């Protein structure tokens, strides 16, 4: 295992005080900040990132200590206790600011609370937990008096400029042409990651590096037909002006079975089955298998209970688009757009499960096919304005995607700034994405430094942050020269671990205490010199 030294913690809150770990950690950071800065703002990096500039008052101090994707929802809700409804709604979001809902977490909750957004099921990483919590909080909203027209709860609600421009939001997709796919892993790899190319010439879309691409995928026909068979229906029966087969392929999610499906099943059956379906609809897990129940598994569990196709489709969630970091540069290859997509496949029991969009891109579309897409503008993830600014990019796995785009863009525009990439993956001989291209960039001088970390080449895991620590002095020198730092990839573990390594590097080579290093990294974030695109 990776031998990481966690930053020493300042413990001010007694261990036995009645707080969760997350609350205690936040309070320790808060008081440490007060003590070390004579009453100035709190200091931890999380807090740096968590300060909101929305309205304060009504129990809202403008902070969002729950804004950390690694804190479980129960702890996030505790941290938000006593805050206004819109802030508790924000705490219910998955805190990734991933943009899949079309907003960031704060703006999505503000939009719901101000009644500008009626959809409560848009937070993809939050899944059912978030949707359930939002539903409960929304009931409070429904009881509250309706604000007079124009009197929005908050001036900072950023309802997406949506719909206005075609192809610029999930609410107004356009059709792009799928061109080709190419496997990036070599024989022996345990991964299946595809380089995907689209042609944008037909739809006229453009983008800047750092943006993501939204894809509306279609469900796999085999799965659709098995579900139709379980319903005992004909696939040509009409539902909402389409055949049942079309509706199930194009319009609804067949992944986690929603509470509303269990509700429907409970209405049309009786006895123990009815009790079980009702329990599942309420978020209980009577048989310990709730996590594994996609739509088909739910129908199989309640075999013989056959909802009417129309009611069935109505009980399902709409199909959500998926976002992918763009791995090409419009400046380098106008009209062309590339993605780097890790294929999600896994087995539950005896059944193979397919990630919707990744397998759609990997095997269900063919060159020349039209796909519904949109460009999701990056929220604070972009090349520095000054092309001479050095950049440090940290992107293991598919995290390399936007950094390939950054490098291609800097090459196309002749940006003179130095470029440093930390890339890592499982094995050097089969998981080195874009190896030839990166080596050529290094040989040409575009890529000033390329640091690699292979987690499964040796006996012990070795990650990008371990490589960063090894060259910590250089990382510090680049930062001292004004470099911007970027992280892309896994949100749950990697991004946090990389940030911790950065704090250690700043402390060690920048001759700072850990608290000062945390403050330094927080300042980098506030100044836009430390940006993240994590999922
Ligand atoms: C801003 C942003 C940028 C992104 N960029 C990229 C990118 O560049 N490249 C990339 O590949 N992805 C990227 N993603 C992730 C991408 O959007 C999708 O989430 C991912 O491809 C999976 O989608 P899917 O539809 O294939 O799978 P889904 O149908 O959404 O299924 C995924 C879900 O399946 C379940 N699951 C997965 N594996 C297992 C398992 N072993 N056991 C049990 N359950 C499991 C989990 O619940 C998981 O959430 C990005 C996401 C965001 C928000
Ligand atoms: N079950 C799932 O749902 C599942 C499975 C895989 C990936 N994902 C997600 O799918 C996305 C794409 O994955 P990906 O293909 O880009 O690659 P990835 O699975 O994130 O792995 C890329 C590299 O990062 C390493 N890594 C693992 N933990 C790390 C950590 N804490 N710090 C630094 N590096 C770490 C991996 O090593 P090791 O794997 O050798 O530890 C691997 O070498 C990510 O969001 C990932 O979280 C989900």
């Amino acid at each position: 295992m990776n031998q990481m030294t966690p930053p020493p913690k300042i413990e001010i809150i007694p261990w036995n005080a009645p707080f969760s770990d997350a609350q205690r950690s936040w309070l320790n950071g808060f008081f440490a900040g007060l003590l070390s800065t004579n009453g100035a703002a709190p200091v931890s990096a999380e807090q740096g990132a968590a300060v909101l500039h929305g309205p304060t008052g009504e129990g809202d101090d403008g902070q969002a200590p729950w804004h950390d994707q690694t804190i479980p929802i129960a702890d996030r809700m505790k941290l938000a206790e006593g805050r206004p409804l819109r802030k508790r709604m924000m705490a219910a979001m998955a805190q990734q600011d991933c943009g899949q809902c079309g907003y960031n977490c704060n703006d999505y909750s503000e939009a719901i609370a101000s009644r500008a957004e009626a959809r409560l099921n848009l937070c993809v990483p939050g899944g059912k937990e978030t949707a359930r919590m939002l539903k409960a909080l929304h009931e409070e909203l429904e009881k509250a008096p309706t604000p007079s027209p124009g009197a929005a709860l908050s001036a900072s609600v950023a309802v997406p400029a949506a719909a206005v421009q075609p192809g610029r939001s999930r609410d107004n997709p356009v059709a792009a042409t799928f061109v080709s796919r190419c496997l990036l892993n070599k024989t022996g790899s345990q991964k299946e990651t595809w380089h995907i190319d689209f042609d944008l010439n037909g739809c006229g879309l453009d983008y800047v590096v750092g943006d993501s691409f939204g894809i509306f995928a279609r469900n796999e026909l085999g799965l659709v037909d098995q579900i139709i068979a379980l319903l005992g229906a004909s696939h040509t029966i009409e539902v909402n002006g389409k055949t049942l087969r079309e509706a199930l392929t194009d319009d609804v999610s067949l992944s986690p079975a929603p509470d509303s499906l269990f509700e429907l099943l409970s209405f049309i059956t009786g006895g123990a089955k009815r009790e079980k379906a009702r329990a599942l609809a309420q978020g209980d897990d009577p048989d310990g298998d709730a996590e594994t129940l996609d739509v088909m598994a739910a129908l199989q569990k309640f075999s013989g209970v056959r909802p009417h196709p129309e009611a069935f489709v109505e009980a399902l969630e709409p199909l959500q688009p998926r976002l992918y970091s763009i791995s090409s540069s419009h400046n380098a290859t106008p009209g062309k757009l590339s993605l780097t997509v890790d294929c999600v496949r896994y087995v539950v029991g005896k059944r193979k499960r397919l990630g919707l969009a990744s397998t759609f891109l990997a095997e269900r579309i063919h060159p020349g096919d039209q796909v519904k897409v949109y460009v999701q503008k990056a929220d604070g993830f972009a090349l520095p304005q000054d092309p001479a600014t050095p950049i440090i990019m940290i992107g293991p796995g598919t995290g390399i995607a936007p950094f390939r785009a950054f490098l291609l863009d800097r090459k196309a525009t002749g940006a003179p700034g130095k470029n440093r990439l930390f890339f890592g993956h499982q094995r050097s001989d089969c998981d080195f994405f874009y190896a030839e291209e990166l080596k050529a960039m290094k040989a040409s001088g575009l890529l000033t430094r390329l640091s690699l970390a292979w987690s499964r080449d040796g006996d012990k895991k070795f990650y990008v942050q371990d490589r960063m620590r090894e060259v910590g002095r250089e990382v510090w020198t680049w930062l001292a020269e004004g470099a911007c730092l970027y992280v892309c990839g896994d949100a749950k573990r990697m991004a946090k671990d990389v940030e911790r390594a950065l704090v250690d590097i700043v402390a060690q080579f920048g001759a700072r205490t850990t608290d000062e290093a945390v403050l330094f990294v927080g300042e980098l974030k506030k100044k836009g010199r430390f940006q993240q695109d994590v999922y």
Side-chain angles (χ1 to χ4, degrees):
M1 284 296 291
N2 151 35
Q3 297 299 309
M4 217 167 37
T5 328
K9 283 191 194 153
I10 299 177
E11 299 292 353
I12 295 167
I13 304 298
W15 65 271
N16 55 354
F19 297 113
S20 70
D21 287 351
Q23 283 172 309
R24 188 176 300 111
S25 142
W26 185 82
L27 286 166
N28 275 324
F30 180 76
F31 287 117
L34 285 181
L35 293 175
S36 70
T37 57
N38 292 327
V43 294
S44 84
E46 283 89 348
Q47 290 154 20
V51 173
L52 289 171
H53 302 290
T56 53
E58 309 159 15
D60 181 8
D61 59 3
Q63 303 282 321
W66 55 81
H67 195 45
D68 176 338
Q69 70 268 16
T70 61
I71 303 178
I73 189 165
D75 293 341
R76 297 201 304 270
M77 297 316 297
K78 274 189 203 140
L79 287 169
E81 266 171 20
R83 309 269 177 151
L85 185 59
R86 61 180 199 284
K87 290 297 179 230
R88 283 180 283 134
M89 284 181 167
M90 185 202 171
M93 309 295 173
Q95 312 304 317
Q96 290 189 15
D97 281 340
C98 65
Q100 288 179 95
C101 59
Y103 308 84
N104 59 37
C105 301
N106 184 54
D107 290 348
Y108 181 29
S109 45
E110 295 275 349
I112 295 172
S114 65
R115 297 180 165 93
E117 174 62 79
R119 294 167 296 179
L120 305 181
N121 54 2
L122 299 183
C123 180
V124 176
K128 279 175 72 159
E129 276 186 335
T130 294
R132 279 191 196 120
M133 185 59 72
L134 282 179
K135 201 172 154 203
L137 293 168
H138 197 259
E139 280 165 16
E140 275 185 52
L141 185 69
E142 279 169 349
K143 285 181 203 141
T146 314
S148 55
L153 288 179
S154 157
S156 69
V157 177
V159 179
V164 266
Q165 268 187 301
R168 299 287 165 190
S169 90
R170 52 176 285 151
D171 296 322
N172 196 357
V174 294
T177 310
F178 172 74
V179 176
S180 61
R181 67 174 77 85
C182 160
L183 190 61
L184 291 169
N185 311 92
K186 296 201 179 104
T187 314
S189 176
Q190 289 173 14
K191 285 290 218 178
E192 179 191 337
T193 309
W194 294 91
H195 177 82
I196 307 279
D197 281 324
F198 278 96
D199 182 352
L200 299 182
N201 286 308
C203 62
L205 270 184
D206 61 6
Y207 59 90
V208 292
V209 292
D211 290 348
S212 303
F213 202 46
I215 302 274
F216 282 86
R218 289 189 295 276
N219 285 309
E220 195 233 352
L221 270 186
L223 176 64
V224 168
D225 286 346
Q226 281 175 284
I227 288 174
I228 293 174
L230 285 166
L231 291 174
S234 151
H235 61 75
T236 54
I237 186 174
E238 200 174 298
V239 176
N240 301 333
K242 294 180 165 188
T243 67
L244 176 61
R245 200 181 200 209
E246 284 166 348
L248 290 179
T249 308
D250 298 340
D251 297 344
V252 289
S253 167
L254 301 179
S255 297
D259 295 347
S260 44
L261 176 60
F262 293 117
E263 255 164 44
L264 173 64
L265 292 169
S266 79
F267 293 153
I268 56 171
T269 186
K273 276 188 178 173
R274 182 186 179 82
E275 284 311 309
K276 209 166 260 187
R278 200 181 271 164
L280 283 161
Q282 284 162 0
D284 296 335
D285 192 0
D287 298 330
D289 59 355
E291 281 289 301
T292 67
L293 296 176
D294 66 355
V295 169
M296 179 162 148
L299 287 178
Q300 284 170 326
K301 187 175 175 75
F302 293 92
S303 64
V305 185
R306 292 182 168 181
H308 187 279
E310 222 173 288
F312 174 70
V313 170
E314 219 165 83
L316 301 181
E317 294 279 333
L319 207 56
Q320 304 272 4
R322 303 288 192 270
L323 285 180
Y324 293 93
S325 310
I326 296 172
S327 57
S328 54
S329 154
H330 188 70
N331 285 324
T333 43
K336 180 175 162 177
L337 182 144
S338 308
L339 306 175
T340 308
V341 177
D342 179 48
C343 207
V344 174
R345 297 177 197 272
Y346 55 99
V347 177
V348 177
K350 286 184 185 153
R351 220 180 95 212
K352 286 183 188 162
R353 305 278 177 102
L354 304 179
L356 167 76
S358 57
T359 60
F360 173 73
L361 292 168
E363 63 194 14
R364 293 202 293 285
I365 43 171
H366 306 288
D369 283 357
Q370 300 287 297
V371 179
K372 274 200 308 183
V373 301
Y374 63 98
V375 169
Q376 174 77 43
K377 273 257 140 290
D379 183 20
F381 191 80
L383 276 170
Q385 279 188 338
D386 180 355
T389 303
I391 58 173
I392 302 174
M393 300 164 280
I394 302 148
T398 51
I400 195 173
F403 303 139
R404 176 178 187 262
F406 280 13
L407 287 165
L408 291 172
D409 202 76
R410 281 197 142 187
K411 183 179 173 198
T413 58
K418 291 193 292 180
N419 303 301
R420 167 161 215 144
L421 175 67
F422 288 90
F423 172 69
H425 215 325
Q426 294 182 356
R427 293 182 179 85
S428 55
D429 55 359
C430 49
D431 300 312
F432 191 173
F433 302 162
Y434 306 113
E436 298 313 314
E437 204 175 87
L438 291 173
K439 284 177 192 164
M441 286 175 177
K442 186 144 185 293
S444 74
L446 175 77
L447 188 50
T448 320
R449 290 273 190 281
L450 173 61
S451 299
L452 303 165
W454 307 109
S455 56
R456 303 189 190 185
D457 269 4
D459 297 337
K460 286 184 179 168
K461 288 282 168 113
F462 188 83
Y463 291 148
V464 277
Q465 62 272 24
D466 301 313
R467 189 66 80 206
M468 284 170 69
R469 287 174 203 275
E470 278 186 359
V471 293
R473 185 180 298 283
E474 279 181 51
V475 170
W476 168 251
T477 307
W478 279 52
L479 282 176
E481 286 169 1
C484 287
L485 199 130
Y486 301 86
V487 181
C488 179
D490 175 59
K492 290 270 178 260
R493 297 154 303 150
M494 182 277 295
K496 276 274 155 191
D497 292 348
V498 163
E499 184 167 337
R500 189 167 298 174
L502 184 66
V503 166
D504 290 346
I505 288 168
V506 170
Q508 186 179 351
F509 298 100
R512 283 165 166 80
T513 64
T514 300
D515 275 355
E516 287 167 346
V518 166
L519 185 60
F520 183 94
V521 171
E523 281 299 314
L524 287 180
K525 281 188 181 172
K526 278 190 209 154
K527 289 178 184 153
R529 283 184 56 203
F530 179 16
Q531 304 184 359
Q532 303 194 31
D533 176 23
V534 293
Y535 41 89

